[in-house]
Amino acid sequence: FSGLITGIVGGIVVGALSGSNVSVSGPAAGLTVIVLAAIESLGSFQAFLVAVVLAGAIQLLLGFLKAGIVSHYFPSSVIKGMLAAIGLILILKQIPHALGYDADYEGDDAFMQADGENTFSELINAMGALQPGAIIISLLGLAVLILWDRPKLKKITFFRIVPGGLVAVVIGIVLNQLFAAAAPNLALAQDHMVSLPVASGFSEFLGLFTTPDLSAITNPQVYVVALTIAIVASIETLLCIEATDKLDPQKRITSTNRELKAQGVGNILSGLIGGLPMTSVIVRSSANIDSGSKTKLSAIIHGVLLFITVIFIPNILNMIPLASLAAILLVVGYKLARISLFKNMYALGWDQFVPFVITVLAILFTDLLRGIGIGMVFSIFYILRNNYRTAFHYNSEDNGQGKKINIRLSEEMTFLNKGSMLLTLRNIPEDSEVLIDGTNSKNIDHDVKEVIQNFLETAKHKNIKLTIKNIGQWKNHTTGL
C-alpha cells in the first residue's frame, strides 16, 4: 500500500510540479535494498518515514542549489546503455511471470535476488513450473499489443483512443474467469494475481495510511538514512530524466533543477502519509510515451485514476493476472532494447560502442547504479584517451640538418594533457629545432607549463633550439643553439 501511495503522489504532485512532459514518478526498485536495510536499522517503519521526509527536504535544497546540472555530465553512450539494459532486464525478469512462475516479486531489477536466486537461475526454475493458463494469457496479451501497434490500425480512431495494454489486461481477467468456470486446471490462483489491500469502508481505508514518528528526529541514524536516500534517489531521477528526454518524440529538454525540487516535495508528502521514497521511473515513463503521451497531464491523470481504483475497485484490480502485466512489460522491454539501437551504437565507433555495451552488461549483472558507475569509468577512459590524442597538433619535417618540429597547442590545455605533452617532448631527438606555439590557446594549465619549463632545461642538454610562443611568461622566447 505504501508503494501505491508513492505512485499516487508521484503522479499527481510530482507530475504537476515537474518540468518534464512525459516522465512518470513512483517507487523505485533501485531503492528496495536501501529501504529494507533502513527499516531494520531504525527499528520501525514510522521512524523510516521521518528519513523519507528529510530526504525530500534535502532534494528540495539540492534543487535550489542547482545541483541538477550534474545530469548533463552523463555520457550519451552510458544513458543509452542504461535504456537498453533496463529493456533486457524487463524481458528476462518478466519471462517467468509470463510462464506462470511468480516466486520473485514484481519490480525486482537486480541480478542477485533476495531469495538467493538470480536472473538466469529464475528462468531455469520457471521452465520447471509452467502454468498453461498463464502462458495462454500472456501470449494473447502479446498478440493484442503487437496488433495494436500496426500502422494500419493506428489510423482507426478506436485503436488510437483505447490503449492496447488495457485491452490485454481485460482479456487476461476475462480469460481467467472463464478458466475458473470451464477449465479449473487452467485457472490461476490468487498468488499469480495482483495483490492489493482491500478496505471494507472509508475509515478502514484511511487506517491503511501511516504517519511518521517525529520522536525519531533526534536519532542520528535517521539523518544518515535520509542523506543516503536523497543522494541515490536524486541520481536515479537525473539518470531517468536524461533517458526520458531521449525517448521523448519531441526531444524536449527537462529542467533538472526543477525536477529535483518536484521530487523533493513529492518525497516530503509521501513520507508524511506513509509512502516510500520515489524517483522518476524509466519503465513508467517509457510506457507513458508508448501510449502516446504528449503532456504532463497523462502523469497527473494516471495518479488520479490510481487513487480512484484503489478506493473503489481494488477487488477488480486483484483479478489481474501477473501474466497480463508481463505481456505489457515484455513489449516495453523490447522497445527499449531494440536491435537497431545496438547497430546504431556500433556504427558510431568503439569509443561509443564499448562504454554502451559495458554499461548494458554491468547493469544486467549487478544493479542500476553500480552498472552506471562501471559504464562511466569506461566512458571516462575513452574521453581521456581522445583528449590525450588531440591535445595539440604535431608536425615534423627533416631539413637535412636535423628535425624541425612544430607543436601547436589546442584551445584548452588542462592537466589531462600533461601526459601526452610530456611523452612527446621526451621523444624529441637531439639537434632538433622545436617551436611550441600557444597562440590558439585560451587556457594553459600550470601542469602543462611546468612540463614546458622542465623541457627548457632538457633542450640545453640535448642541443635543441627551442622557441616558445605566447605561453604564459614566454611570449616569444628562444633558447639553445
Side-chain angles (χ1 to χ4, degrees):
F1 191 75
S2 293
L4 288 170
I5 291 171
T6 313
I8 292 166
V9 173
I12 299 173
V13 178
V14 178
L17 297 177
S18 171
S20 175
N21 288 281
V22 290
S23 171
V24 182
S25 297
L31 292 172
T32 304
V33 176
I34 294 173
V35 169
L36 176 61
I39 294 172
E40 289 178 345
S41 65
L42 296 178
S44 72
F45 183 63
Q46 289 81 358
F48 168 73
L49 292 178
V50 176
V52 176
V53 173
L54 291 174
I58 294 171
Q59 284 186 298
L60 193 58
L61 178 62
L62 289 173
F64 281 110
L65 292 175
K66 302 188 184 303
I69 194 173
V70 171
S71 69
H72 302 313
Y73 295 95
F74 294 121
S76 178
S77 58
V78 173
I79 296 297
K80 290 178 180 177
M82 180 187 80
L83 287 172
I86 290 173
L88 292 174
I89 287 171
L90 280 176
I91 292 169
L92 293 171
K93 292 285 189 179
Q94 289 302 316
I95 287 175
H97 294 295
L99 299 176
Y101 184 72
D102 301 306
D104 190 34
Y105 65 89
E106 280 280 2
D108 181 17
D109 65 0
F111 180 72
M112 293 304 301
Q113 298 176 179
D115 58 4
E117 301 290 343
N118 61 54
T119 303
F120 296 116
S121 69
E122 199 78 348
L123 290 171
I124 296 170
N125 294 336
M127 295 303 170
L130 302 177
Q131 295 277 344
I135 295 172
I136 293 170
I137 288 171
S138 58
L139 287 176
L140 278 175
L142 283 170
V144 167
L145 291 164
I146 293 169
L147 183 69
W148 235 256
D149 266 350
R150 303 301 297 171
K152 288 182 180 179
L153 292 180
K154 283 292 184 184
K155 296 176 182 178
I156 303 172
T157 304
F158 174 79
F159 288 92
R160 287 202 307 271
I161 295 176
V162 179
L166 180 61
V167 176
V169 164
V170 171
I171 288 175
I173 294 173
V174 173
L175 260 181
N176 199 49
Q177 295 303 306
L178 290 174
F179 289 157
N185 59 316
L186 293 177
L188 298 177
Q190 189 55 49
D191 58 348
H192 297 292
M193 311 283 207
V194 168
S195 179
L196 303 176
V198 179
S200 58
F202 190 68
S203 59
E204 189 176 331
F205 173 75
L206 292 177
L208 294 171
F209 291 86
T210 309
T211 54
D213 177 11
L214 297 180
S215 65
I217 200 80
T218 57
N219 182 354
Q221 188 63 27
V222 167
Y223 294 90
V224 175
V225 172
L227 185 61
T228 303
I229 292 173
I231 292 172
V232 175
S234 297
I235 292 173
E236 282 209 23
T237 290
L238 294 175
L239 284 166
C240 289
I241 285 296
E242 281 288 307
T244 302
D245 283 351
K246 291 186 183 302
L247 294 175
D248 181 8
Q250 297 183 35
K251 302 302 178 189
R252 290 163 289 191
I253 299 174
T254 301
S255 167
T256 49
N257 295 317
R258 179 175 172 181
E259 186 64 29
L260 284 179
K261 294 175 188 176
Q263 295 289 334
V265 173
N267 275 317
I268 291 171
L269 182 57
S270 181
L272 288 173
I273 59 177
L276 299 171
M278 72 180 68
T279 70
S280 170
V281 183
I282 193 62
V283 178
R284 289 169 176 257
S285 304
S286 177
N288 187 38
I289 293 167
D290 281 344
S291 298
S293 170
K294 297 291 189 296
T295 71
K296 64 169 67 180
L297 192 59
S298 62
I300 298 170
I301 293 174
H302 130 270
V304 172
L305 290 174
L306 191 55
F307 181 66
I308 292 171
T309 53
V310 167
I311 293 177
F312 296 107
I313 56 169
N315 287 315
I316 295 177
L317 296 181
N318 285 341
M319 294 167 66
I320 300 174
L322 294 179
S324 293
L325 300 184
I328 296 170
L329 292 173
L330 284 169
V331 172
V332 172
Y334 169 75
K335 289 180 177 180
L336 286 173
R338 291 179 188 270
I339 295 174
S340 59
L341 174 60
F342 287 81
K343 289 181 177 178
N344 291 339
M345 292 305 296
Y346 180 75
L348 292 175
W350 290 109
D351 59 337
Q352 292 293 310
F353 186 66
V354 172
F356 167 77
V357 171
I358 292 294
T359 302
V360 171
L361 294 174
I363 293 175
L364 276 177
F365 288 99
T366 57
D367 56 42
L368 181 64
L369 290 183
R370 284 192 183 93
I372 288 290
I374 293 169
M376 286 289 291
V377 168
F378 277 83
S379 185
I380 289 170
F381 165 77
Y382 275 97
I383 291 170
L384 293 177
R385 193 185 71 157
N386 291 339
N387 195 284
Y388 178 89
R389 289 177 171 179
T390 60
F392 47 82
H393 177 74
Y394 179 92
N395 181 56
S396 175
E397 58 183 47
D398 198 331
N399 58 10
Q401 300 177 342
K403 287 205 171 187
K404 187 173 183 180
I405 298 169
N406 290 331
I407 299 174
R408 290 203 309 275
L409 304 187
S410 62
E411 190 171 330
E412 291 289 333
M413 293 293 294
T414 70
F415 73 96
L416 298 175
N417 307 125
K418 175 182 176 181
S420 58
M421 192 71 184
L422 188 64
L423 187 62
T424 299
L425 296 178
R426 182 187 297 163
N427 292 328
I428 290 177
E430 295 182 2
D431 304 317
S432 298
E433 185 177 336
V434 180
L435 169 64
I436 303 177
D437 187 357
T439 304
N440 296 327
S441 299
K442 290 184 178 179
N443 174 56
I444 302 175
D445 198 74
H446 172 73
D447 290 272
V448 177
K449 291 178 182 176
E450 192 174 72
V451 170
I452 296 171
Q453 174 74 55
N454 293 337
F455 186 65
L456 278 167
E457 295 301 317
T458 303
K460 294 175 184 177
H461 297 289
K462 294 178 72 174
N463 196 33
I464 293 172
K465 181 181 179 182
L466 174 63
T467 301
I468 304 174
K469 187 176 179 182
N470 295 326
I471 299 176
Q473 67 267 36
W474 307 294
K475 295 299 179 186
N476 200 353
H477 179 83
T478 301
T479 187
L481 300 177

